[in-house]
Amino acid sequence: MSGATAFRRRYGASPLHLVLVLASFALAAYAGVRLLRGDTVGVALWFVGAALLHDLVLLPLYSLTDRAAQFLFEGRADPGQGAPRPSVNYVRVPAFVSGLLLLVWWPLVLRRVDHYTAATALPADVFLGRWLLITAALFAASAATLLIRWWRASGPRRRAARQQRRAVRRQRRARDAANDAA
C-alpha cells in the first residue's frame, strides 16, 4: 500500500483538502485574535447572544416556515414516477439568499446607519429598494426555472398525447376511406 493510499484511507480526503482546512483554521484563528484584542467581553456577549437568538427564536421560526412551505408545495407523484419532486426548493433557495443578504446588510437596508453617507459620500436610502428588487428577481428567476422544468418534464406526455391524436386521426381517415370505397 502506497503512502498516498494510506493517507487517503486514514484521512478520507486528498492532501490538498488537508492543507486548505489547516489554512482556513489559521485564518480563523488570526481573525479571532484580532477581534478579541479590542472588547473581549463585548464580543463574547455578542456571540452568546447571537447563538441564543438563533437557537431559541430564529431556528424554530424558519423551521416552522419551512414545514408550512413543504405542506403547501407537497409534490404528488404518479404511482410509477418515483419520489415526488422537491418543488419547495424553488422557494427555499431565493428565501435563503434574500435572508442572507438582509442579514449581512440589515443596518443599511433598515436605515440604521446614520454616518454611512458622511463616511462614504454615497446615499444610504437606496438599500431597501435594491434589496427588494434583488429579492423579487431571485423569486422570479426561481419561478421561471420551475416553470421551464415542469414544461420540459411534461414533454414526453405531450408527445405521447400528440402521437395518440395522430393515430386516432389516421384510423378515422382509414375508416372513412374504407366506407367511401364500399
Side-chain angles (χ1 to χ4, degrees):
M1 172 174 0
S2 71
T5 306
F7 175 81
R8 193 176 293 266
R9 192 185 63 179
R10 285 179 178 246
Y11 179 66
S14 70
L16 177 62
H17 181 266
L18 178 62
V19 169
L20 291 174
V21 167
L22 291 176
S24 68
F25 281 148
L27 181 63
Y30 171 73
V33 168
R34 293 284 309 253
L35 182 66
L36 293 174
R37 188 176 297 163
D39 182 17
T40 307
V41 174
V43 171
L45 283 174
W46 187 87
F47 272 113
V48 170
L52 288 175
L53 175 70
H54 176 267
D55 291 350
L56 298 178
V57 177
L58 295 178
L59 181 66
L61 182 65
Y62 62 72
S63 295
L64 182 66
T65 305
D66 185 58
R67 290 288 184 185
Q70 285 181 24
F71 179 75
L72 290 174
F73 291 94
E74 191 175 67
R76 287 167 178 71
D78 294 335
Q81 194 178 10
R85 284 179 248 145
S87 302
V88 72
N89 289 337
Y90 292 96
V91 174
R92 280 182 185 158
V93 172
F96 172 75
V97 173
S98 177
L100 189 61
L101 288 172
L102 181 62
L103 180 67
V104 170
W105 298 101
W106 73 269
L108 292 169
V109 170
L110 301 178
R111 297 181 183 133
R112 300 273 189 219
V113 181
D114 298 330
H115 61 280
Y116 179 79
T117 303
T120 63
L122 297 173
D125 58 347
V126 297
F127 287 94
L128 177 62
R130 289 179 182 173
W131 176 74
L132 289 172
L133 283 173
I134 290 170
T135 299
L138 287 169
F139 277 99
S142 183
T145 304
L146 177 62
L147 289 175
I148 289 169
R149 290 200 176 182
W150 275 348
W151 185 74
R152 281 188 175 173
S154 69
R157 282 181 270 150
R158 287 192 322 258
R159 280 192 293 275
R162 188 171 44 238
Q163 289 173 351
Q164 187 177 12
R165 286 191 304 266
R166 287 179 183 163
V168 167
R169 276 187 252 147
R170 273 188 242 120
Q171 287 175 352
R172 284 186 194 150
R173 277 188 244 140
R175 188 180 60 226
D176 291 343
N179 287 340
D180 290 342

